[in-house]
Amino acid sequence: MSDGRWFDGWSPWPELAGLAAAGRSLLPNVPVTPAALVRTVTEQLVGRRLTAKVDDREVGLTLTELDYPAGSLRLATGRVGDVRIVAEDVDWPEPEGGSIPLRRVTVLAEDVRLRSLPTPAAKPARVELRIAVSADVLRERVAKARPGIVAAPAANGLLRIHWAKRPLWGHLTLRPEVGDDAVVLVPQTLHIGQRRLRPPRRFRPIVLPLPELPPGIRLTKVEPRHDELVLHTVAEEWPERLSRIPLPDLLSWLTTAAVTLTLPKLGARS
């Protein structure tokens, strides 16, 4: 049996047969089985510096991970499973100009399934994003909100701050909470030597505005770690949007990215 007939025999939808042709036209050495096709495109992208268009600005990122249990049998039965995408060194634009360096952006699409009607498409049950910024970015943001204050991640999911002019006087721990469009750092405990005291009432919570996130992203949790701050979000609108993008368009997007090292816009069809 030829590779082409093997592809058609395992594919549950006739439209999937066109994916191999699209891949071969852009990457001549791409195998024609569905799993091998996606795997080869992945190998072309991982580790490369890519550019993406956000509004009218270019965003640079390095794709470091693209994991999926996409064996041919899974593709044939329509149940792909969890898909994990990790990009590092992301230059995310800010509304007032400039950009904020994101250490890492992790996208987790849970329980991805391939549906055949009304058109072949992929539909995840849930999409989460985790956005990590370095401790240096945290310090800069806190100093901008409260000049003279130095901040750093601490243990037990807390942050700690001290007065820059008097670092030996002690420190104050804060608990990060999620606001409507900001991260709110709420004072917890004042540490002076071995003593633990209630925070001064005059010390107000520190409000850190969030970078402008894509539409449909909701912040759910803020997690301080040893040298970074991780924002946990849920992409509430993405599962439905992704389900409206036909599979041939998804593969065309991947192969275009693999050849040009740019991420073209992927519009959803209604």
Side-chain angles (χ1 to χ4, degrees):
M1 180 180 292
S2 70
D3 284 342
R5 290 196 300 273
W6 184 92
F7 187 97
D8 291 338
W10 278 95
S11 172
W13 307 293
E15 290 87 346
L16 277 177
L19 302 187
R24 281 198 304 274
S25 66
L26 292 173
L27 302 172
N29 296 323
V30 169
V32 295
T33 61
L37 180 59
V38 178
R39 186 165 55 249
T40 300
V41 173
T42 299
E43 291 171 354
Q44 297 288 327
L45 294 176
V46 172
R48 300 291 189 91
R49 188 69 181 173
L50 307 176
T51 59
K53 279 287 187 179
V54 176
D55 296 327
D56 59 345
R57 302 185 60 187
E58 284 193 351
V59 176
L61 59 93
T62 300
L63 186 66
T64 58
E65 189 176 333
L66 181 50
D67 288 339
Y68 48 88
S72 298
L73 182 59
R74 281 184 174 270
L75 288 176
T77 58
R79 299 194 65 171
V80 177
D82 295 344
V83 177
R84 175 184 167 91
I85 305 170
V86 181
E88 296 183 355
D89 300 326
V90 181
D91 300 320
W92 189 256
E94 295 195 278
E96 64 272 16
S99 62
I100 177 174
L102 305 181
R103 173 176 286 183
R104 184 175 58 260
V105 176
T106 303
V107 181
L108 178 61
E110 299 178 354
D111 192 21
V112 178
R113 301 192 181 196
L114 306 180
R115 72 177 193 188
S116 57
L117 296 174
T119 58
K123 181 175 177 60
R126 175 184 172 91
V127 179
E128 294 183 359
L129 281 85
R130 298 169 188 168
I131 304 170
V133 297
S134 70
D136 291 338
V137 172
L138 172 64
R139 278 190 288 270
E140 183 270 328
R141 295 295 161 130
V142 171
K144 184 177 181 180
R146 296 286 177 88
I149 296 295
V150 178
N156 302 320
L158 299 175
L159 299 168
R160 59 187 293 173
I161 61 173
H162 65 263
W163 191 18
K165 293 182 178 180
R166 298 289 188 269
L168 300 180
W169 280 14
H171 66 271
L172 179 67
T173 58
L174 304 100
R175 183 183 71 254
E177 296 183 352
V178 175
D180 292 336
D181 55 358
V183 175
V184 182
L185 307 181
V186 181
Q188 294 295 291
T189 307
L190 178 62
H191 297 253
I192 301 179
Q194 299 299 320
R195 301 177 63 188
R196 296 186 177 187
L197 308 171
R198 290 184 178 181
R201 289 188 177 182
R202 66 178 180 275
F203 194 93
R204 305 183 312 277
I206 299 175
V207 179
L208 305 179
L210 289 172
E212 185 173 359
L213 300 174
I217 302 296
R218 178 172 58 87
L219 182 64
T220 60
K221 178 183 175 182
V222 179
E223 180 187 6
R225 295 182 180 176
H226 172 64
D227 61 347
E228 64 185 19
L229 188 70
V230 181
L231 308 178
H232 294 252
T233 72
V234 174
E236 297 176 320
E237 300 176 8
W238 286 20
E240 183 58 33
R241 289 181 178 180
L242 287 172
S243 70
R244 297 198 300 266
I245 301 174
L247 283 172
D249 289 0
L250 284 172
L251 189 75
S252 175
W253 183 86
L254 279 173
T255 50
T256 300
V259 171
T260 65
L261 298 184
T262 61
L263 302 178
K265 287 190 175 181
L266 184 58
R269 298 177 183 176
S270 57

